[in-house]
Amino acid sequence: MFQSKGEMKLEEYFQRIGFRGSRDKADLATLKAIHKLHVMSIPFENLSIHCGERNIMDLRIIFNKLVRSKRGGWCLENNYLFGWVLREMGFNTTMLSSRVFNSILGDFGPFDSHLINKVIIDGKAYIGDVSFGVSCQVWEPLELISEMDQPQAAGAFRLIDKGNMWVLEKTCHKPKILNPEFAGSSLVNRKERKTIYCFTLEPRDVEYFLDVNDRLQKDPACLFTNKSICSLQTPSGFRVLMGWTFSEVTYRPEEGVDVIDMRDVPDDEIETLLRERFRVELSNKLKPVNNRSFYTL
C-alpha cells in the first residue's frame, strides 16, 4: 500500500513528466505544455484495484504513488494531483465533476464519476483533463466555448453548452486494424462521433469525491471492476493494456484513420510489458480482467 512520504515538491513532479520550462508563468503555453507532458508520462490506469490495493483520496498518498513510485492512476488521482500542481504554480483552477457516457445504455452514467479541472487564463475558461485515456484523451486543454471544433491528433473535440450542462463530444477517425483475428473486437470504437461525458460548472471539493472513490472500487457493474486498464499517450498515438489485450495505436489524421496493432499477452509476460511499455512497476500481483463494457479504444 502506498504511504504518505515527506513533503510534496513541485520539482519532483516536473522531473516525473520531463518539464523544463518556466515555473512562474501561469499562462496558456505553460498549461498546454504540462498537460501534454503529463498524459505522455503518467498512465491512466486502475491496476491497484486488481492488485488487491485501494485507491485513497489523499493528495500526499497520490503524489507518492504517481510521482515517486512509477505508477499511474485513474481520474480521481491524476486530475486531483494535476489540479494541485496548477494551483501551486499560480493558476486559477477549480475542480468539477462529470458523468461519463455509457454507449451500451445510450445515456450518461447515473452519478458523477469523473473529476476534471477548469482553469481561467486571461478571462477565458479551459477544461483540463489528464486522465480519460485511450483515444478520448485530450493532449491539450480545451477552451470552454460551445460548438467549436478543437482539432487534436486524436480527432476533433467539441464542447456543447446544453444550458443546464456541458457535453464533450469527439469526431473520430476510422479504425484500421492490422491483425485480422481482432477485426471484430468489441474493444474497437467504430462510431464516427462519440459522446464522452457531461458536466456542470459547479465547483467541487475533494469531499465530494470520497463516496465516488469507494463506489468505483466496489460496484460490480462499473467499468473499473470489469476491466483492468493501463493507457499511456505517445507522440504518435497511444498504447493500452485492457485485460490481456495490448494495443498500440498510431494516429494518421491526414488519412483520417487510427492504425491499430493488437495482440494478446500471456499472464507471465504482463508485468514485463507494463514495465517496458508503460514504465509501471507493480508491487503486488495483477489479476487481469476484461469483461465487456462501454470503454473502447
Side-chain angles (χ1 to χ4, degrees):
M1 188 66 66
F2 298 94
Q3 302 295 321
S4 175
K5 295 182 179 178
E7 180 186 358
M8 299 185 298
K9 297 179 180 178
L10 271 179
E11 186 58 38
E12 289 185 76
Y13 171 81
F14 293 143
Q15 290 176 359
R16 174 78 165 95
I17 68 171
F19 178 64
R20 297 177 180 85
S22 173
R23 271 61 162 174
D24 56 3
K25 289 185 178 181
D27 57 15
L28 183 58
T30 302
L31 175 62
K32 287 182 175 182
I34 60 174
H35 193 292
K36 188 171 184 178
L37 286 170
H38 186 119
V39 301
M40 295 197 179
S41 304
I42 303 179
F44 167 74
E45 53 107 329
N46 69 330
L47 302 182
S48 284
I49 64 174
H50 300 287
C51 290
E53 303 163 358
R54 279 190 53 75
N55 293 330
I56 300 173
M57 289 294 290
D58 181 296
L59 193 53
R60 291 183 180 275
I61 291 174
I62 292 170
F63 185 94
N64 187 55
K65 177 184 178 183
L66 274 60
V67 175
R68 295 172 176 151
S69 298
K70 295 184 178 180
R71 285 291 303 273
W74 59 7
C75 72
L76 299 179
E77 298 169 299
N78 267 305
N79 279 323
Y80 187 20
L81 173 67
F82 191 63
W84 172 81
V85 169
L86 296 181
R87 285 187 290 275
E88 289 292 298
M89 294 181 71
F91 284 95
N92 179 355
T93 305
T94 304
M95 286 195 298
L96 306 177
S97 61
S98 64
R99 290 187 290 141
V100 177
F101 189 79
N102 186 317
S103 59
I104 294 176
L105 300 176
D107 199 358
F108 297 102
F111 62 93
D112 293 353
S113 62
H114 187 59
L115 191 161
I116 57 179
N117 287 288
K118 183 183 74 172
V119 188
I120 305 294
I121 300 174
D122 295 331
K124 293 183 178 181
Y126 299 86
I127 297 299
D129 184 353
V130 294
S131 197
F132 200 91
V134 294
S135 65
C136 288
Q137 178 61 62
V138 293
W139 287 4
E140 295 182 347
L142 299 171
E143 186 175 353
L144 190 63
I145 185 170
S146 187
E147 302 283 355
M148 182 180 76
D149 281 344
Q150 302 187 53
Q152 297 192 11
F157 293 89
R158 174 180 286 205
L159 290 162
I160 303 170
D161 185 356
K162 298 283 190 178
N164 61 335
M165 66 179 180
W166 287 78
V167 173
L168 174 61
E169 295 182 349
K170 178 196 160 194
T171 301
C172 308
H173 303 147
K174 293 182 179 179
K176 181 178 180 180
I177 304 169
L178 299 181
N179 322 78
E181 65 270 31
F182 288 95
S185 173
S186 63
L187 295 178
V188 178
N189 171 64
R190 294 174 174 83
K191 295 182 178 180
E192 181 179 352
R193 184 175 290 272
K194 190 171 185 179
T195 303
I196 303 175
Y197 54 71
C198 69
F199 59 95
T200 71
L201 301 182
E202 183 176 353
R204 305 296 189 189
D205 56 25
V206 66
E207 284 73 21
Y208 182 83
F209 297 98
L210 296 181
D211 288 341
V212 173
N213 181 67
D214 287 337
R215 182 171 182 173
L216 292 176
Q217 297 178 74
K218 298 174 182 177
D219 186 349
C222 91
L223 166 67
F224 296 114
T225 58
N226 280 280
K227 281 192 187 297
S228 53
I229 304 166
C230 186
S231 167
L232 183 66
Q233 304 298 301
T234 70
S236 59
F238 67 92
R239 57 182 66 110
V240 61
L241 178 68
M242 283 201 230
W244 296 266
T245 303
F246 174 67
S247 303
E248 189 104 32
V249 179
T250 302
Y251 296 142
R252 291 186 180 168
E254 69 282 357
E255 301 174 28
V257 300
D258 294 340
V259 180
I260 305 173
D261 188 5
M262 307 177 76
R263 64 182 173 92
D264 286 331
V265 182
D267 278 317
D268 60 359
E269 295 180 14
I270 282 181
E271 287 190 13
T272 300
L273 176 79
L274 287 169
R275 185 170 55 252
E276 293 180 351
R277 304 297 283 160
F278 297 91
R279 302 186 296 277
V280 164
E281 298 277 359
L282 296 179
S283 301
N284 297 305
K285 183 68 176 177
L286 172 68
K287 295 181 179 180
V289 180
N290 194 16
N291 297 327
R292 183 175 175 83
S293 79
F294 59 88
Y295 192 76
T296 61
L297 302 181

